Amino acid sequence: MHPSASSPPHTDPTAAVESVLTAELARRRAEVVAIDHRLDGDVDRLIGYISAGGKRLRPQFLCWGFLAAHPEAERFTAGDRLPPGVLQAAAALELIQACALIHDDIIDRSDTRRGKPSIHRSVQKLHADHGWSGDAEHYGLSSALLLGDLALAWADDLFLDGFEQLGGPAGALSAWRAMRTEVLAGQLLDLRITADRSGDPEVAADDAMVVNRYKTAAYTVERPLHLGAALGGASPATVTALREYGAVIGVGFQLRDDLLGVFGDPAATGKPAGGDLIEGKRTVLLAMARAALRDRPELLAELDAGIGSDLLPAQVDRLTDLVAATTAPAEIETRISSLFDAGTRALAGRDEQGVPVVHPIAADNLLRLARAATVRDR
Amino acid sequence: MHPSASSPPHTDPTAAVESVLTAELARRRAEVVAIDHRLDGDVDRLIGYISAGGKRLRPQFLCWGFLAAHPEAERFTAGDRLPPGVLQAAAALELIQACALIHDDIIDRSDTRRGKPSIHRSVQKLHADHGWSGDAEHYGLSSALLLGDLALAWADDLFLDGFEQLGGPAGALSAWRAMRTEVLAGQLLDLRITADRSGDPEVAADDAMVVNRYKTAAYTVERPLHLGAALGGASPATVTALREYGAVIGVGFQLRDDLLGVFGDPAATGKPAGGDLIEGKRTVLLAMARAALRDRPELLAELDAGIGSDLLPAQVDRLTDLVAATTAPAEIETRISSLFDAGTRALAGRDEQGVPVVHPIAADNLLRLARAATVRDR
């Protein structure tokens, strides 16, 4: 029987992931520089990008997935280090995420990432500053493409090291493989539905949900938890509960992001105001706003014409107001709440012996993460 | 003692690689289409690209590496199928090569590959033909980037399946990992030396040789042979002999390519006449031509000004003649011959018992491949 644990953990079990990641990157740096010392700048740029951070959400989910079925989960929140294999697998998720973000920034033509220049832009600047020959912008894109590829290859290596350290537990490798295909397929589909827009808002909302499911929910929450649980040898009941939680909370994350992408404060999000409107992202929020404007064809036409075009700040404000005046934001808030509730229920199950299928320490922390990422204020 | 085998094999041991590759791609297609049926076009485009071919050089080297130390190598050239794990590992090399080519075509802004539109161009055309919204060219690039990523991830999966099928033989996994880092580092270095040109032709020739070593020799010949040998449990002496052969013959391949890139017949190479001059590729040939023109500063300046610029056909002819008139082409031919001789010697070693370290059937076939790829007429 698991003890109850409603107080927060003393130690974040993912803190050690950072040192494993740092050590791995140092080893990789030496490997690359041994090939040619002039590659030091490239690899340092990649390392700087990975080290600078983000919320390390995926490693956190992996670690809590591992602890969800661990009979002594308390030990690890009281200060014990997670097994090295778990830390390696968690760190691997940050490497794959580096590839995803670097390549995404190329695709989205983003100038910045986490408030700093995106990799392709910073390499472009290097090229321009040195007055090298050729097209600086294309040089930046090409270098970023290859650095993303390196991160993807290294992610695989590190995950496999962790997996083998743990004795190759059943189900973990297939979850890793599924995750990689899912995130790339989700991105391909996102490209496609953004380009090949359906006029029908209902279809557009369904499309956006499929993208959310694979590009965000599976990749960010469900599969990291699944990986952690499989690496910990969790029972099918635990895996199912975690995946259910992950699938719904992951969609909740994305819906919160949809709202922030239109209404978020640039100071808090690090992205321009109304960024999704400018980029022309096909979100569930925008599909619902379009549906709500069905009986106001002149406003719908204005919204459709504006999304994804070169918008002046006043036009962004106008479109933002247009979306805000629909029922869509409130509907999205309601959906987020019910997804949060469904996630909470998924974690609350017990087996025939009355034992929680997810250890209360893990459940508490997963709900804390869900709350942090889905609540209105952040 | 190995029997002598100077006659060519009855069956190409790599023929079965093709059917493994086809089956794997069919399985992957189903996986992707299950995520969303609209991805069928994307995945079919990738499959078509991989299936259309090329010479399957890397799988051939892997298979001959495996047979180099096999006591019954004859069986496999007489019709027996190689073990499934070997075929999977060999097929994985074609998947990684698909990623390398697709991403290379983005970097080189190539319109064609093997006489057909490159992936990014064919997706660009799809976008334009359907009148989808957004920038068709960037859409093509983005899709190609993600399809290359998929091929890279799938390559890892397939290699690992083969490796595990064969019981995880020592050294094979580390050779695979090294190969991936080497090819990407070689490409990054290639970008860098193309942009940051050294004025000194000696330095430029050395730089081009480092790129050849990692981007071509290691990736195309040395590591595939190393992988095959390690998968077959070859002795250190066999691995060393094969890697020596691979390193020199791989450079020979690239030097032949350098010559074809300037003097090749477009009908035979599938590339425009003087392609390397137009692209501004920093080859050993061009570095040597520049060195040879050191005492003709007006000609050197003309060559330097022309390489990598938008050249008219008459200008290409003029630069081609300029390079042809130097001692560089003959020097490169001499180098290729001596590399071929060194490769031949590397395969001819015997152990203390007088047994060839590379099985004669494998050695004969490797020399056949080397000849095909380095001889003047092709």
Side-chain angles (χ1 to χ4, degrees), chain B residues 59-318:
Chain B
Q60 292 190 60
F61 283 122
L62 187 145
C63 291
W64 290 116
F66 177 79
L67 292 176
H70 201 289
E72 299 173 288
E74 302 82 7
R75 282 208 292 122
F76 300 101
T77 55
D80 276 19
R81 249 173 108 97
L82 286 163
V86 176
L87 300 176
Q88 288 177 308
L93 291 174
E94 286 298 308
L95 292 180
I96 204 168
Q97 171 69 352
C99 170
L101 295 181
I102 293 168
H103 285 180
D104 245 17
D105 284 343
I106 292 174
I107 291 171
D108 296 341
R109 297 190 252 212
S110 302
D111 296 330
T112 58
R113 168 68 64 179
R114 298 170 189 150
K116 294 187 193 165
S118 49
I119 293 243
H120 62 116
R121 290 290 180 239
S122 86
V123 180
Q124 175 180 343
K125 184 171 182 305
L126 179 83
H127 186 288
D129 288 349
H130 281 81
W132 287 340
S133 66
D135 175 346
E137 183 170 5
H138 193 71
Y139 183 86
L141 182 154
S142 302
S143 298
L145 197 169
L146 295 170
L147 290 172
D149 288 350
L150 265 182
L152 179 57
W154 293 350
D156 262 317
D157 295 347
L158 190 56
F159 177 80
L160 192 65
D161 284 343
F163 171 74
E164 292 193 337
Q165 269 265 353
L166 296 163
L173 194 60
S174 58
W176 172 259
R177 292 176 171 193
M179 183 190 72
R180 275 146 64 264
T181 297
E182 283 163 358
V183 65
L184 289 163
Q187 287 179 288
L188 278 166
L189 193 65
D190 194 10
L191 276 186
R192 171 67 178 271
I193 68 166
T194 302
D196 182 16
R197 297 179 189 179
S198 167
D200 181 344
E202 302 290 335
V203 174
D206 289 349
D207 282 349
M209 278 302 292
V210 178
V211 170
N212 290 350
R213 183 170 156 211
Y214 291 103
K215 188 174 161 179
T216 306
Y219 171 60
T220 305
V221 196
E222 181 186 346
R223 292 297 187 183
L225 280 168
H226 184 181
L227 283 168
L231 290 172
S235 70
T238 301
V239 170
T240 302
L242 291 172
R243 291 188 63 183
E244 260 181 57
Y245 160 89
V248 296
I249 293 298
V251 170
F253 278 24
Q254 187 56 54
L255 294 180
R256 174 59 60 203
D257 239 41
D258 288 2
L259 289 166
L260 291 170
V262 174
F263 306 112
D265 174 5
T269 63
K271 294 172 190 168
D276 285 359
L277 297 169
I278 299 166
E279 277 181 38
K281 266 176 81 173
R282 304 279 109 187
T283 65
V284 174
L285 169 65
L286 292 177
M288 287 173 73
R290 292 178 64 237
L293 291 172
R294 233 201 277 257
D295 50 1
R296 303 287 302 276
E298 74 294 352
L299 295 181
L300 178 57
E302 185 183 350
L303 185 61
D304 281 350
I307 292 174
S309 66
D310 279 331
L311 296 167
L312 297 169
Q315 292 173 302
V316 173
D317 289 347
R318 164 73 187 153

Side-chain angles (χ1 to χ4, degrees), chain A residues 14-365:
Chain A
T14 63
V17 173
E18 211 65 32
S19 63
V20 168
L21 189 59
T22 303
E24 175 70 8
L25 290 171
R27 208 177 61 72
R28 289 298 192 170
R29 184 186 197 281
E31 186 187 352
V32 170
V33 173
I35 289 175
D36 193 284
H37 67 92
R38 283 168 295 184
L39 295 173
D40 60 350
D42 282 317
V43 70
D44 283 343
R45 180 165 283 106
L46 177 61
I47 292 174
Y49 185 81
I50 296 168
S51 307
K55 285 168 283 188
R56 308 293 193 221
L57 264 184
R58 291 161 194 82
Q60 292 189 61
F61 283 122
L62 187 145
C63 291
W64 290 116
F66 177 78
L67 292 176
H70 202 288
E72 298 173 289
E74 302 81 5
R75 282 209 290 121
F76 301 101
T77 55
D80 276 20
R81 249 173 109 96
L82 286 163
V86 176
L87 300 176
Q88 288 177 307
L93 290 175
E94 285 298 309
L95 292 179
I96 206 169
Q97 171 70 350
C99 170
L101 294 181
I102 293 169
H103 285 180
D104 246 16
D105 283 344
I106 292 174
I107 292 170
D108 295 341
R109 298 192 251 212
S110 301
D111 297 330
T112 58
R113 169 66 65 179
R114 298 170 188 150
K116 295 188 191 164
S118 48
I119 292 243
H120 62 114
R121 290 289 180 240
S122 87
V123 179
Q124 176 180 344
K125 184 172 183 300
L126 179 83
H127 185 288
D129 288 348
H130 282 80
W132 288 341
S133 66
D135 176 345
E137 182 170 5
H138 193 72
Y139 183 86
L141 182 153
S142 301
S143 298
L145 197 169
L146 295 170
L147 290 172
D149 287 351
L150 265 183
L152 178 57
W154 294 349
D156 263 318
D157 296 347
L158 190 56
F159 177 79
L160 192 66
D161 284 342
F163 172 74
E164 292 193 336
Q165 268 266 353
L166 295 163
L173 194 61
S174 58
W176 172 259
R177 292 175 172 194
M179 183 189 73
R180 277 151 56 268
T181 297
E182 283 162 358
V183 65
L184 289 163
Q187 287 179 288
L188 279 167
L189 193 64
D190 194 10
L191 277 185
R192 172 67 177 272
I193 68 165
T194 302
D196 182 14
R197 296 179 190 181
S198 166
D200 182 343
E202 302 291 333
V203 175
D206 289 350
D207 282 350
M209 278 302 293
V210 178
V211 171
N212 290 350
R213 181 168 157 213
Y214 291 103
K215 188 174 161 180
T216 307
Y219 171 60
T220 306
V221 195
E222 180 186 345
R223 292 298 187 183
L225 279 167
H226 184 180
L227 284 168
L231 290 171
S235 70
T238 300
V239 170
T240 301
L242 291 172
R243 291 189 63 183
E244 262 181 56
Y245 160 89
V248 296
I249 292 298
V251 171
F253 278 24
Q254 186 56 54
L255 295 181
R256 175 58 61 203
D257 238 42
D258 288 2
L259 289 166
L260 291 169
V262 174
F263 305 112
D265 173 7
T269 63
K271 295 172 189 167
D276 285 359
L277 298 168
I278 299 167
E279 278 181 35
K281 267 176 82 172
R282 303 278 110 187
T283 65
V284 174
L285 169 65
L286 292 177
M288 288 172 72
R290 291 178 64 236
L293 291 172
R294 233 201 275 256
D295 50 1
R296 303 287 302 276
E298 75 293 353
L299 294 181
L300 178 57
E302 185 182 351
L303 185 61
D304 281 350
I307 291 173
S309 66
D310 279 331
L311 296 168
L312 298 170
Q315 292 173 303
V316 172
D317 289 347
R318 164 73 187 154
L319 294 185
T320 304
D321 290 347
L322 238 164
V323 175
T326 69
T327 51
E331 285 174 50
I332 296 278
E333 290 289 357
T334 307
R335 268 216 209 183
I336 293 174
S337 294
S338 70
L339 288 166
F340 184 84
D341 292 345
T344 306
R345 279 195 304 277
L347 296 181
R350 290 171 180 266
D351 66 14
E352 310 85 75
Q353 281 81 46
V355 179
V357 294
V358 175
H359 191 296
I361 286 186
D364 284 356
N365 278 282

